[in-house]
Amino acid sequence: AQKVTQAQTEISVVEKEDVTLDCVYETRDTTYYLFWYKQPPSGELVFLIRRNSFDEQNEISGRYSWNFQKSTSSFNFTITASQVVDSAVYFCALSERGGGADGLTFGKGTHLIIQP
Amino acid sequence: EAGVAQSPRYKIIEKRQSVAFWCNPISGHATLYWYQQILGQGPKLLIQFQNNGVVDDSQLPKDRFSAERLKGVDSTLKIQPAKLEDSAVYLCASSLTPGARDTQYFGPGTRLTVL
């Protein structure tokens, strides 16, 4: 069965600090997809990134970067020079390809607090 | 492009009452999902539709929950009768095609409180 673990329940940093959110996953499939979503206080889940299991290249998008390591089953997310607007709950999620059923399995989320 | 629409945004009911939630996916998206998010947890998949057929309902409590997507567009999720533990946010998501080839986009959710 698939599982996503986000061990950090809450992280609090001061604005402009860099912060890394950890995500460890479990799956028996060789083909799978990993996602990060942001959930601000408004409650809506905002898509950040999707990565398939065959693409281990790290990705950078502005202040955001992702480190995918199959050897350790991790897909970590780093925010550089954090801003107050980054305060939210961040979820890592996993999807396997199984006959078209591709519902996401989410971790419990990491509540990120950026203090001014 | 309009996002996923859900209504109502909030609902308060007494236990043992019935409730229904509505979802309109992004135009052209064949796949629709319902998730339940209990406070402090990540969303949990309840059911997945492709067009008007059910792809996965393995985690749907079928004794009290039901869902339909009759014309392959809008969907309704119903709870009958509701229990206290059903208090949660119910999220609808849609994607262009199934199989994780496309991203799932989420609606704003319906916050249900069962008293």
Side-chain angles (χ1 to χ4, degrees), chain B residues 63-109:
Chain B
D63 58 333
R64 298 184 300 105
F65 286 65
S66 64
E68 59 184 13
R69 193 182 184 200
L70 293 176
K71 296 184 179 178
V73 181
D74 295 1
S75 177
T76 302
L77 176 70
K78 296 179 182 178
I79 308 175
Q80 180 179 13
K83 293 185 175 180
L84 296 177
E85 58 261 37
D86 298 331
S87 293
V89 176
Y90 291 84
L91 295 163
C92 180
S94 70
S95 69
L96 193 58
T97 53
R101 292 187 294 275
D102 296 296
T103 297
Q104 294 181 30
Y105 295 95
F106 285 79

Side-chain angles (χ1 to χ4, degrees), chain A residues 4-71:
Chain A
V4 175
T5 301
Q6 293 181 257
Q8 303 152 309
T9 304
E10 183 175 290
I11 299 175
S12 181
V13 301
V14 177
E15 197 173 21
K16 297 183 183 176
E17 286 186 10
D18 299 347
V19 58
T20 295
L21 309 181
D22 298 333
C23 173
V24 174
Y25 62 92
E26 294 177 29
T27 177
R28 286 178 287 188
D29 277 14
T30 56
T31 302
Y32 53 89
Y33 291 76
L34 294 163
F35 300 78
W36 276 95
Y37 283 85
K38 174 182 180 180
Q39 190 171 46
S42 61
E44 192 158 345
L45 280 164
V46 178
F47 166 74
L48 295 178
I49 189 171
R50 180 184 71 213
R51 172 69 73 223
N52 74 56
S53 53
F54 298 107
D55 183 1
E56 286 194 72
Q57 279 193 334
N58 291 332
E59 175 137 352
I60 299 174
S61 175
R63 296 184 297 106
Y64 296 171
S65 62
W66 291 269
N67 182 289
F68 176 29
Q69 292 196 337
K70 287 179 75 171
S71 60

